[in-house]
Amino acid sequence: MASRPKAKVLTHPAMARRARAKERGEGTPRAVPGQQGDMDSLRSWMDEKGVRKVKLGAIDVDGVFRGKYVSLEKFYSAAKSNMGFCDVVFGWDLGDELLDNTKVTGWHTGYPDTPAKVDLSTARIIPWEPDTAAFLLDFVNPDGTPFEASPRQLLQKMGQRARKLGFLPKFGAEYEFFLFKEGPQSLHEKGFKDLTPLTPGMFGYSWLRTSMNAPLVHALIDGCNAYGLNIEGFHTETGPGVFEAAIRYDTLELAADRAALFKTVVKEICAKHGVSACFMAKVDPKLPGCSGHVHQSLWNLKGEDNLFHDPSQKHGMSKLMRHYIGGQVALMPELTALYWPTINSYKRSVENTWAPTTATWGLENRTCAIRVIGDSGKSMRIEYRQLGADMNAYIGMAVSLAAGLWGIENEIEPPAPVLSNAYEAKNTKPLPRNLKDAVALLKNSERAREILGEGFVDHFVRTREWEVRQYERAVTSWELERYLELI
């Protein structure tokens, strides 16, 4: 993770000061200004950019960006004293079906508004809506304490915990995703079958395919950069219409925001080109799945020294790094539901398809769940490969960090690294093969509740139990094709 110049992000002066404070490891400053000067600065910035409306939103448990447009008057009021946002976003699923098993909200509470705090440090101008500013929201309880079910609040909690231990986490995400020449209407009319990929054939790292689709590729790269998502690399992956994007690493909170926003941004830009983007973990059983790998390292609080590197130790891995990996490997099976949150997630975990099936780690070994990369203070890091493109970035980053910190605190030594094919390695812990089994492991994990909090784990488990029940009662096309005529 060598240090490189950062892309310019549109911020007003007060936000820039906060961003610099974050970079120096001075905690995670909250966003609502405490002085009138901050509001004056905000208004000046909005006027300078010609902002006429504001879009506010937050990422739900499924990783979906939920939000709305508000007037400038409404925004300035919310920036001063929070706003109400219906807590049903924590009480329904991907299809807006109301969950029947939640505690945090439901018919028993009447689905009230919950306070939402505008994080002014997340200010962005939407490049394809240049008169519109966008801000992220943080859900809080009426007394101002964090709303435990919120993924972004979990992420912030883990970042604060790392800093209290003396570590500045630096993370970076990369996504693989399919692009189809389809729109929402055609996707539904085709029943999500027989879709036309943007490009044909298996053509990884294709110079030709990216150039053939240069208008869209450039719109994605330029749009993401202008939105502050800082794309480091963009290329085709192996598979028809499959691409991969690497988002520049940064401190944990900034990296998580960028990763969480990336999927929606790609979908918005693609829609303007008549294309749909798909981040499912496994779209086609004959093709590799889509990853959401997360690169991770811990630095000193000033961000100057990579604490994962120790040239005096074997492979240049510090004791701290070994224990970080040890914690992640030890907790990997019982935390899998948090990393693989959908029914489809587990279709990606198949032998010899670039996705892990066991809790393993190795040096530059892409068959393992954790890959150690680099041999210097600038580059030493891990690539957490268990995560798929369907991850909720806040949850995936927060949980893998929490597991690593748990390993450090308890001095957990990892097993021996896998030096060959991890799919054939002996004496390794298997990962759960389906969401139902993974949820059962998480539900019974005292360590998960200890490191993540009872409130978050309880709510997440309930949402995944609902997801399993919806799948179990569904009659799939595979069943109809196999049984309808012949059974």
Side-chain angles (χ1 to χ4, degrees), residues 136-150:
L136 289 173
L137 296 171
D138 279 321
F139 294 101
V140 296
N141 295 314
D143 63 359
T145 57
F147 188 70
E148 280 194 294
S150 169

Side-chain angles (χ1 to χ4, degrees), residues 39-58:
M39 291 304 296
D40 290 341
S41 176
L42 173 62
R43 287 178 183 274
S44 296
W45 180 79
M46 300 275 275
D47 291 341
E48 176 190 339
K49 300 301 179 185
V51 174
R52 297 169 57 193
K53 64 185 76 73
V54 177
K55 205 168 187 181
L56 303 173

Side-chain angles (χ1 to χ4, degrees), residues 177-214:
F177 50 96
F178 279 77
L179 296 182
F180 296 104
K181 293 181 180 179
E182 309 285 351
Q185 194 68 32
S186 66
L187 287 174
H188 284 266
E189 288 175 350
K190 290 184 174 183
F192 301 92
K193 291 184 176 182
D194 302 320
L195 307 180
T196 303
L198 181 64
T199 59
M202 310 290 279
F203 209 161
Y205 297 103
S206 170
W207 183 287
L208 177 63
R209 291 285 190 255
T210 48
S211 293
M212 289 171 61
N213 293 280

Side-chain angles (χ1 to χ4, degrees), residues 182-184 216 220 264-277:
E182 309 285 351
L216 174 57
L220 287 168
T264 296
V265 167
V266 169
K267 290 175 185 288
E268 289 186 59
I269 295 173
C270 283
K272 295 182 179 299
H273 292 257
V275 172
S276 288

Side-chain angles (χ1 to χ4, degrees), residues 403-417:
L405 295 178
W406 177 84
I408 291 172
E409 290 177 302
N410 291 278
E411 298 186 346
I412 305 297
E413 287 291 341

Side-chain angles (χ1 to χ4, degrees), residues 353-390:
T353 58
W354 305 102
T357 58
T358 55
T360 51
W361 75 281
L363 305 166
E364 281 290 3
N365 189 336
R366 286 183 168 88
T367 68
C368 296
I370 296 174
R371 169 185 167 224
V372 172
I373 304 173
D375 57 4
S376 71
K378 290 185 177 181
S379 63
M380 198 82 183
R381 64 194 187 275
I382 71 163
E383 178 187 55
Y384 201 88
R385 296 178 58 82
Q386 184 183 13
L387 293 162
D390 59 347

